[in-house]
Amino acid sequence: MRHIFWAGDSTVACNKFATYPQTGIAQAFDRYCASDVVIYNHAVNGRSTKSFIDESRLATIYDEITKGDFLFIQFGHNDEKINDPSRYTDPHGEFITNLGKFVNAARNKKAFPLFITSVERRLFDENGNLKKSGHEEYVAGMKEAAVKFNVPVVDLYTMSREFLTQTGDEASKKYYMNLLPGEASWAPEGKTDNSHLKYEGAMLYAGMIAKGLSQLDETYSSLIADEYQVSKSTEIETNG
């Protein structure tokens, strides 16, 4: 069996019944994987690269990951928290340094690292145009790190922005935790949450990551089931 260890935040994390219908991307990703792939989801709500490392969560992965495994690294949302020194990182400084620590953890155990940029928030202005969310510099920082450490990157940020732009404000609500009247949930009806995903959104964006992986070399593309492979003639953002 091949193992994917996934490090990230609440957009990726596994959710229990108490937070239904919220669903993390890594929680849905195995639907797209080859039959010999198992996912160990270490993503936790509210974590940045800094807090994930400081809480010894990367150390736990290091203890468990082995030769031939994969480490998917997906951060940005909480590294942006400039008013929280326990989580904030400079996008072109400490953020890149921390990403390097994840890469080293994987490679020291002869595993394969992968960067995944943050999924975009569903933020539209009064004219129905998709706004910038604040992820931009962290996406750029992750791409800088991809070049510096020679790590492939799947640019979920760009793919999700393109989808939201094409889909529009109203139609995109069903993918995010914007709870509609009468919809079953423990949260109040009408709650606005433009960052976290329902099952539909998790499946959508997991599929985009699968598409991105299918564009990489066989080490990574072979993780994806044959029926979800995409022709390598389609361009996906990588570090090279």
Side-chain angles (χ1 to χ4, degrees), residues 110-128:
K110 301 188 184 308
F112 302 100
L114 175 78
F115 291 149
I116 304 171
T117 58
S118 294
V119 64
E120 183 59 305
R121 294 185 175 100
R122 199 197 69 83
L123 297 174
F124 290 85
D125 64 21
E126 62 276 9
N127 297 313

Side-chain angles (χ1 to χ4, degrees), residues 3 6 29 44 52 54 71 94 98 102 113-114 116 120 129 148 217-218:
H3 308 113
W6 210 310
F29 187 74
V44 180
F52 196 95
D54 288 348
L71 178 55
E94 187 180 10
N98 288 346
F102 284 86
L114 175 78
I116 304 171
E120 183 59 305
N129 299 312
K148 181 176 181 178
D217 65 45
E218 187 176 1

Side-chain angles (χ1 to χ4, degrees), residues 101-114:
K101 294 177 181 179
F102 284 86
V103 173
N104 289 338
R107 287 181 172 158
N108 285 346
K109 301 297 278 291
K110 301 188 184 308
F112 302 100
L114 175 78

